[in-house]
Amino acid sequence: MRHSERRSKRYAILAMRRVKEVNGFEGSGPESTKARYQKLCQSFPVMVRQSGLMQSLAFSAAKAEKDEGLPQAHQRILGDVAAILNESEDELLEAVQKADAPGYMRQTEAVLEAWVYFKRFSKSLLDVEEE
C-alpha cells in the first residue's frame, strides 16, 4: 500500500470515528450542536481556501469561547483539525501559527485532504433533522 493510500485510509477512519462520536451529543433539531457541526463540516474547507487555515481556526476558536452560536460545534472542529495534524487541542493554534511557509502548506493540504471524509461522514452518519 502506498503512503498516500495509507494516509487516506487513516483520515477516513479518523473522520468516521470522530463524526460518529458527535451522534452522542444531545438533540437533533436544526439548532442542535450536531446540526451546527454538520453545517460547519460542509463549510470549513471553503473557509480554509478563502481565508487560510490559521484564519479559519482563529474564527472557530473565537466562536468556541462564546455562549451563542453553539460553541461545542466549533470546539469539535478545532479538535478534528488537531487530530488530523497530530497536535494537542491546546497547542493547535500556536503550532499552525509558528509553522514556516512549507509547513503551513503541508498542514493546509493535510486538513483539506482529510476534510473530504469529514464532509461525507457528517452528511451520512449524523442523525440531524432537516430544517
Side-chain angles (χ1 to χ4, degrees):
M1 189 180 293
R2 292 185 324 208
H3 179 68
S4 63
E5 291 172 343
R6 284 192 305 268
R7 189 176 58 234
S8 290
K9 184 177 179 179
R10 182 179 77 83
Y11 290 153
I13 292 168
L14 175 70
M16 184 169 44
R17 179 180 51 83
R18 291 193 57 88
V19 170
K20 277 184 174 180
E21 289 172 359
V22 174
N23 255 336
F25 293 7
E26 279 189 43
S28 61
E31 295 302 315
S32 69
T33 299
K34 281 192 277 190
R36 183 67 178 141
Y37 175 79
Q38 184 182 63
K39 288 178 187 176
L40 285 171
C41 279
Q42 300 305 305
S43 65
F44 190 73
V46 174
M47 285 190 339
V48 170
R49 286 187 188 100
Q50 288 179 342
S51 303
L53 180 60
M54 187 64 222
Q55 188 74 17
S56 301
L57 294 174
F59 173 79
S60 279
K63 292 290 187 180
E65 294 177 0
K66 297 189 184 283
D67 290 334
E68 77 277 352
L70 298 169
Q72 190 176 14
H74 285 281
Q75 188 63 47
R76 187 63 184 201
I77 293 291
L78 293 170
D80 292 340
V81 173
I84 292 166
L85 298 178
N86 291 318
E87 294 287 346
S88 75
E89 286 185 48
D90 295 335
E91 297 172 4
L92 174 64
L93 293 174
E94 185 177 344
V96 172
Q97 186 177 28
K98 288 186 174 185
D100 60 6
Y104 181 78
M105 293 305 295
R106 281 191 299 275
Q107 290 170 331
T108 301
E109 288 171 8
V111 169
L112 291 175
E113 182 181 342
W115 215 264
V116 169
Y117 299 106
F118 282 88
K119 282 182 72 170
R120 287 180 188 166
F121 291 135
S122 69
K123 271 297 196 192
S124 63
L125 297 178
L126 289 181
D127 180 27
V128 174
E129 295 174 14
E130 296 294 322
E131 291 184 66

